[in-house]
């Protein structure tokens, strides 16, 4: 039960910071540069710490939840290109990106396979 609370808590944190990031970027002169730099730094931090935990905790790459997280991370990396190409409504894209973030958190918390 506490794992479900942990998962909901994390999704809430992601959504809160998405809202704050959107509002702060909207108030800044160069929102695209701001978003691009933060996107790159956060992806690198997630990847380095993810591989660090894998090494320290002795997990292999063959676990489904680890492979799924790496694929979702790649999608989140590519998603900035989807923003730039305006492939869909911004609210729809934010919803998809948050769902992918929620799925990544689910994989880390629950390790379903
Ligand atoms: C947006 C991407 C990601 C999100 C939101 C995310 C989220 C999480 C969360 C919530 C946990 C559970 C922490 C806990 O229960 O204390 C976790 C653990 C972990 N994640 Fe990620 N993660 C992401 C990407 C990655 C990537 C790319 C890798 C691998 C390269 C990775 C490897 C791990 C490992 C090894 C753990 C440790 C699990 C454990 O404590 O037993 N994660 N992650």
């Amino acid at each position: 039960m506490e794992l479900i609370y942990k998962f909901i808590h994390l999704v809430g944190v992601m959504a809160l910071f998405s809202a704050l990031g959107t509002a702060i970027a909207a108030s800044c002169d160069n929102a695209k540069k701001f978003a691009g730099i933060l996107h790159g730094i956060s992806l690198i931090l997630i990847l380095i710490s993810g591989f660090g935990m894998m090494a320290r905790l002795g997990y292999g790459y063959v676990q489904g939840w680890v492979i799924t997280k790496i694929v979702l991370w790649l999608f989140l990396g590519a998603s900035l290109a989807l923003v730039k190409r305006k492939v869909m409504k911004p609210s729809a894209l934010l919803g998809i990106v948050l769902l992918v973030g929620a799925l990544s958190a689910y994989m880390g918390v629950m390790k379903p396979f």
Side-chain angles (χ1 to χ4, degrees):
M1 194 61 194
E2 63 275 11
L3 287 186
I4 294 173
Y5 284 131
K6 190 174 189 175
F7 167 68
I8 296 171
H9 191 72
L10 284 161
V11 175
V13 170
M14 288 181 203
L16 171 67
F17 281 90
S18 300
L20 292 173
T22 309
I24 293 166
S27 75
C28 111
D29 291 336
N30 198 345
K32 282 184 185 166
K33 189 176 171 194
F34 180 84
I37 292 171
L38 196 55
H39 183 249
I41 292 173
S42 49
L43 281 171
I44 289 170
L45 289 178
I46 291 170
L47 195 68
I48 291 174
S49 56
F51 279 114
M53 281 193 284
M54 276 171 61
R56 284 281 167 170
L57 298 168
Y59 292 124
Y61 300 95
V62 280
Q63 272 118 323
W65 64 273
V66 173
I67 295 168
T68 309
K69 266 159 153 288
I70 294 171
V71 171
L72 295 174
W73 178 88
L74 285 170
F75 174 82
L76 291 172
S79 60
L80 204 57
L82 299 181
V83 178
K84 285 178 182 158
R85 285 178 199 186
K86 297 197 165 95
V87 289
M88 61 184 83
K89 269 172 58 183
S91 55
L93 190 52
L94 184 60
I96 291 173
V97 162
L98 276 174
L99 267 178
V100 171
L103 198 55
S104 305
Y106 181 83
M107 292 294 148
V109 173
M110 312 284 188
K111 303 182 187 67
F113 43 77

